[in-house]
Amino acid sequence: MKHLFLTTTLILGVPLSAAAQDVTIKMGHAASSQHVFHEGLEIFAAKVADKTGGSVAVEVFGDRQLGDDKQLLEGLQIGLIDGALVSTATLPLVLELGGFDALQLPFVTSSYQQMSDVLTSDLGAELLATLDDKSIKGVGFIEAGQRHFLAKGDAVMSADDFAGLKTRIVPIPLHKATWEAIGVNPIGMAYGEVYSGLETGTIDAVEINLSSIRSESLFDAAKQVTLTGHYFWPGAIMLSANVWDGLTDDQKAAIEEAGRETTAQAYALSASQEADTTAFLEDNGVTINEMSDLDAMKAKTSSVVETWTAKDPLVARIVDALKSGS
């Protein structure tokens, strides 16, 4: 078979080195193909094609076609999946990489620009480098938007209104501690089950970004949004070590540059979509509410920030950098 490949290549007149450098990377994510995560990965794909002169192609698969976040991470580690965009909230739980908790600490920053500045800096590269020991190469981030609160019943208008609400969270220690401090009844639930959970009353509410309320049609099951902006929701752009190690040095440099540029563009894109998404939700019967005492919600979670910041020097440095521009 090897000799047949060599003969065929020589007959076609294609240099062996050029053939070896042509790569197609299949990248999956767990969100809808209508979600900003999908749009962000398509931006990344276009930049990779441009910067590698077409020698590397990225194909994007949304709608959980290649699996949910946990399955994508496991596939990356054993080389069954080429690449993925995975919510950074899952990385401490699945990969035991506590540095990524810094990106979901409540009320550390409300600035899209500051998130972008930190994640495109050397500090952001240092955070991505913690993936190296897990057989994964991180090359950038895509932002899904600030998280807010979607309730099925009465609107949440004050910090006291959270009390006892059965609220879907990502089942990780940081989120559990955060939402217990706020006063809800936190319920771990897979992302793909949120719609049915709201529809059947298994949950009363979910903390989530506006882009997901729109792309997953959650506005059909719940109509009260409260703008809390408690933390952001970045996804990490990752390649398996097998794929990364097979690239040339020039291709690696081009992909890292594409990742940094995509991060900056994705944060600008996510910020720019907030107003349009809000208008879309209102047009579909959703009421957008402001909290009367957001400071009380912040006060309830301040001890969580202090506790998690003390866990890891990298978390502390990222928190300081995020706060400096708030």
Side-chain angles (χ1 to χ4, degrees):
M1 182 65 69
K2 181 177 180 181
H3 293 303
L4 176 61
F5 172 76
L6 290 172
T7 303
T8 303
T9 302
L10 290 172
I11 291 173
L12 292 174
V14 179
L16 291 176
S17 58
Q21 292 176 18
D22 289 338
V23 178
T24 297
I25 301 173
K26 295 182 178 180
M27 300 196 71
H29 65 88
S32 162
S33 57
Q34 306 303 311
H35 192 265
V36 68
F37 269 4
H38 195 90
E39 189 172 358
L41 272 184
E42 289 183 330
I43 291 170
F44 175 68
K47 289 182 180 295
V48 168
D50 178 60
K51 293 179 183 299
T52 64
S55 69
V56 179
V58 173
E59 296 180 356
V60 181
F61 296 84
D63 302 301
R64 295 178 280 280
Q65 292 181 71
L66 303 186
D68 60 21
D69 278 355
K70 186 173 184 293
Q71 292 167 331
L72 289 169
L73 286 172
E74 291 170 347
L76 283 172
Q77 287 190 284
I78 61 177
L80 287 179
I81 291 176
D82 297 339
L85 175 68
V86 174
S87 299
T88 58
T90 64
L91 302 184
L93 179 66
V94 179
L95 301 181
E96 299 181 347
L97 294 176
F100 287 93
D101 277 331
L103 306 183
Q104 244 104 50
L105 287 173
F107 302 110
V108 167
T109 183
S110 61
S111 169
Y112 280 89
Q113 186 61 56
Q114 188 63 10
M115 287 287 292
S116 177
D117 289 346
V118 170
L119 293 180
T120 55
S121 71
D122 290 343
L123 192 54
E126 185 177 342
L127 178 60
L128 288 172
T130 64
L131 290 160
D132 292 352
D133 290 339
K134 305 297 182 179
S135 300
I136 295 173
K137 175 64 180 180
V139 297
F141 298 89
I142 294 171
E143 178 56 58
Q146 279 188 302
R147 301 289 271 197
H148 302 290
F149 200 79
L150 174 66
K152 183 176 181 179
D154 295 335
V156 171
M157 302 300 292
S158 72
D160 290 340
D161 292 340
F162 288 109
L165 289 177
K166 295 179 294 182
T167 302
R168 183 267 179 175
I169 66 165
V170 177
I172 61 173
L174 172 57
H175 288 186
K176 186 173 184 291
T178 297
W179 289 97
E180 284 180 341
I182 290 168
V184 306
N185 175 14
I187 296 176
M189 179 181 287
Y191 179 64
E193 298 173 7
V194 172
Y195 186 99
S196 62
L198 288 168
E199 194 173 42
T200 61
T202 303
I203 54 174
D204 304 315
V206 56
E207 62 86 24
I208 199 163
N209 35 282
L210 300 182
S211 60
S212 291
I213 298 173
R214 179 176 185 171
S215 65
E216 300 288 337
S217 298
L218 299 181
F219 54 84
D220 286 334
K223 297 293 187 182
Q224 298 290 340
V225 167
T226 303
L227 298 178
T228 52
H230 39 273
Y231 40 70
F232 285 89
W233 201 261
I237 308 171
M238 298 177 285
L239 305 179
S240 74
N242 286 348
V243 168
W244 185 253
D245 292 342
L247 299 173
T248 68
D249 288 344
D250 286 345
Q251 287 171 331
K252 290 177 180 178
I255 290 173
E256 288 185 308
E257 183 179 359
R260 284 190 299 273
E261 289 185 7
T262 298
T263 302
Q265 188 170 338
Y267 269 90
L269 174 65
S270 187
S272 71
Q273 289 183 344
E274 290 271 318
D276 175 70
T277 303
T278 298
F280 172 88
L281 294 176
E282 289 179 322
D283 288 343
N284 282 273
V286 174
T287 301
I288 307 295
N289 305 288
E290 301 276 354
M291 276 189 67
S292 61
D293 58 350
L294 190 60
D295 285 344
M297 186 181 179
K298 294 179 181 179
K300 288 184 176 184
T301 60
S302 61
S303 62
V304 175
V305 176
E306 292 173 4
T307 299
W308 256 259
T309 300
K311 287 176 179 283
D312 187 326
L314 180 57
V315 172
R317 290 165 55 213
I318 293 171
V319 168
D320 285 344
L322 289 172
K323 285 184 174 179
S324 70
S326 298

